[in-house]
Amino acid sequence: KKVSIDPPFLAHDYKGMLYVPNWDMGGDTLVKKNFLRLTPDKPDQFGFVWSRQLLDSKDFSITWKIRISGDSKERYGNFLALSLTLDRKKSTGPIFGHREDFTGVMVIVDTNPMDRLNGRHFDVGVLTNNGKFDPHIRLNLQGCASGLRYYEGRDDFNILKSSRLRITYSDVSKMFSVAVDSRNTGRWMKCVDVDMSDKGLPPKWPAKAHVGLMASTKELTNNHDVLDLKVYSRTDEAEVNDKGLDDDEDIDDFSILMHHLEHELFDVHSSLQKTLSHLMKEESLAEDRIGQLERKLGKQVLAKIDRQMSVLEERITHTLDNAIENKIGRIENEIGVNFDIGLINQLTTVSTSW
């Protein structure tokens, strides 16, 4: 159960955001109550979740329920993948979200018919690697054609539209198999069997693998939603526990309504987030501009004060110079007058004596 994903998601983190227990999430992933959206129907998105626990079983079977949909009728993409790899550190790169030297197996859902390798396109494909660096690893993709995408502009589209993949592996036969129920009708189609005996993977490799889900959009886009992921430790258990359409028939009208609202309001929420982000960016730019204006104004004020101080100093200096010169002139005049009077008096006294 620790490597399964089973809504409703009710756990909240310290920020009040919903999350999936026992899983790490990142990128553009957003958890809603009834589904996990790895990417919205917008360009240049990438989201992922990784199980914290190992698969810890030499055999396994998985039922993976997804909904790939979008507003575009003709142009859409990019990929949604389920990964069983031994090293999560190699889970970021150009090979469907992985590095070229990953160790393990990926099941890739690629809805863009223009993505072709050697002239072929697989809607569902399996890719393996044993840890060796191989930039051309995509050429080893094996798979099948199967329409898994829903156009949301159709009148009959609703949130119950989904697709399922069944993935099984037996350590005895070394056979990795994928079957597809493209419209969740209970009619399974065999997609691909991959003999793992010659792939160079370590013995009992599933026991050491983490389970990851990732999706990406570029110029072409999709909503990539994970509705549930049921992981079993026996090869036949997924088929035995398969309920087909009964899963949806057990959903009450209120839950369907809530799921529908979550799906429809996601774009509103995303738009509000984008608007808020834009406003915060504009606020930051405004604060920077205000800071620049304050600094510029401060410099202008200081320059003006410096000029006024220079003028004032010149005035004060000029005034003091004039005052000092006048004072000195008066002193000199007074000294000169007194000197002349004293000299005359002396001459008068001398003349009288003669």
Side-chain angles (χ1 to χ4, degrees), residues 261-315:
L261 288 175
E262 282 186 322
H263 181 82
E264 292 298 318
L265 294 178
F266 186 92
D267 286 338
V268 176
H269 179 267
S270 179
S271 178
L272 288 175
Q273 282 188 320
K274 184 176 180 180
T275 301
L276 180 60
S277 176
H278 179 72
L279 289 174
M280 292 176 67
K281 183 178 180 180
E282 290 296 324
E283 182 182 9
S284 178
L285 292 174
E287 289 177 352
D288 290 342
R289 180 61 177 161
I290 290 172
Q292 293 174 2
L293 290 174
E294 287 176 344
R295 290 189 293 272
K296 184 177 181 180
L297 182 61
K299 291 179 180 179
Q300 292 176 345
V301 170
L302 289 175
K304 187 173 182 179
I305 291 174
D306 287 340
R307 290 194 299 270
Q308 290 179 343
M309 288 296 294
S310 297
V311 172
L312 183 60
E313 286 176 355
E314 290 178 0
R315 290 179 179 175

Side-chain angles (χ1 to χ4, degrees), residues 82-311:
L82 182 148
S83 176
L84 302 166
T85 56
L86 276 60
D87 190 350
R88 286 176 51 178
K89 294 180 180 179
K90 297 180 181 179
S91 61
T92 302
I95 309 299
F96 299 107
H98 289 63
R99 280 170 36 181
E100 296 90 335
D101 58 345
F102 74 92
T103 302
V105 187
M106 285 189 287
V107 178
I108 301 108
V109 181
D110 184 351
T111 58
N112 180 10
M114 301 307 295
D115 284 343
R116 295 180 177 273
L117 297 170
N118 293 331
R120 301 176 303 171
H121 169 75
F122 297 125
D123 294 308
V124 180
V126 175
L127 192 63
T128 66
N129 197 10
N130 57 11
K132 293 181 179 179
F133 182 85
D134 185 355
H136 306 294
I137 189 70
R138 285 173 175 261
L139 297 176
N140 299 331
L141 191 71
Q142 304 176 63
C144 67
S146 181
L148 300 178
R149 184 186 186 270
Y150 291 93
Y151 169 47
E152 294 185 10
R154 284 178 59 107
D155 292 338
D156 60 350
F157 175 79
N158 60 66
I159 52 89
L160 296 181
K161 302 294 185 181
S162 60
S163 308
R164 293 187 300 161
L165 289 85
R166 182 186 296 151
I167 304 157
T168 61
Y169 177 74
S170 169
D171 187 58
V172 175
S173 66
K174 308 298 182 186
M175 193 62 67
F176 186 95
S177 302
V178 178
V180 179
D181 178 7
S182 62
R183 288 296 184 258
N184 193 21
T185 60
R187 293 189 292 271
W188 290 92
M189 178 193 76
K190 184 177 180 179
C191 179
V192 63
D193 293 325
V194 179
D195 185 355
M196 304 294 287
S197 61
D198 60 350
K199 301 303 180 184
L201 290 172
K204 303 187 187 315
W205 63 268
K208 307 169 188 176
H210 285 275
V211 181
L213 302 172
M214 63 280 308
S216 173
T217 64
K218 295 188 182 301
E219 180 183 355
L220 302 180
T221 65
N222 277 323
N223 289 316
H224 290 113
D225 297 341
V226 176
L227 303 181
D228 65 44
L229 181 75
K230 295 181 172 64
V231 182
Y232 305 98
S233 58
R234 296 200 312 269
T235 305
D236 63 344
E237 200 167 357
E239 184 175 0
V240 171
N241 287 278
D242 179 26
K243 296 181 180 180
L245 291 176
D246 292 341
D247 287 338
D248 294 334
E249 291 174 356
D250 292 339
I251 302 176
D252 59 80
D253 292 341
F254 180 76
S255 296
I256 293 175
L257 176 61
M258 293 302 296
H259 191 158
H260 175 74
L261 288 175
E262 282 186 322
H263 181 82
E264 292 298 318
L265 294 178
F266 186 92
D267 286 338
V268 176
H269 179 267
S270 179
S271 178
L272 288 175
Q273 282 188 320
K274 184 176 180 180
T275 301
L276 180 60
S277 176
H278 179 72
L279 289 174
M280 292 176 67
K281 183 178 180 180
E282 290 296 324
E283 182 182 9
S284 178
L285 292 174
E287 289 177 352
D288 290 342
R289 180 61 177 161
I290 290 172
Q292 293 174 2
L293 290 174
E294 287 176 344
R295 290 189 293 272
K296 184 177 181 180
L297 182 61
K299 291 179 180 179
Q300 292 176 345
V301 170
L302 289 175
K304 187 173 182 179
I305 291 174
D306 287 340
R307 290 194 299 270
Q308 290 179 343
M309 288 296 294
S310 297
V311 172

Side-chain angles (χ1 to χ4, degrees), residues 50-76:
W50 279 99
S51 65
R52 295 173 185 166
Q53 305 294 324
L54 296 175
L55 186 56
D56 197 24
S57 177
K58 63 180 182 178
D59 303 321
F60 64 83
S61 58
I62 298 172
T63 301
W64 184 23
K65 188 176 181 181
I66 60 176
R67 179 177 59 232
I68 302 176
S69 62
D71 291 330
S72 178
K73 186 176 183 179
E74 297 178 352
R75 289 174 51 81
Y76 43 81

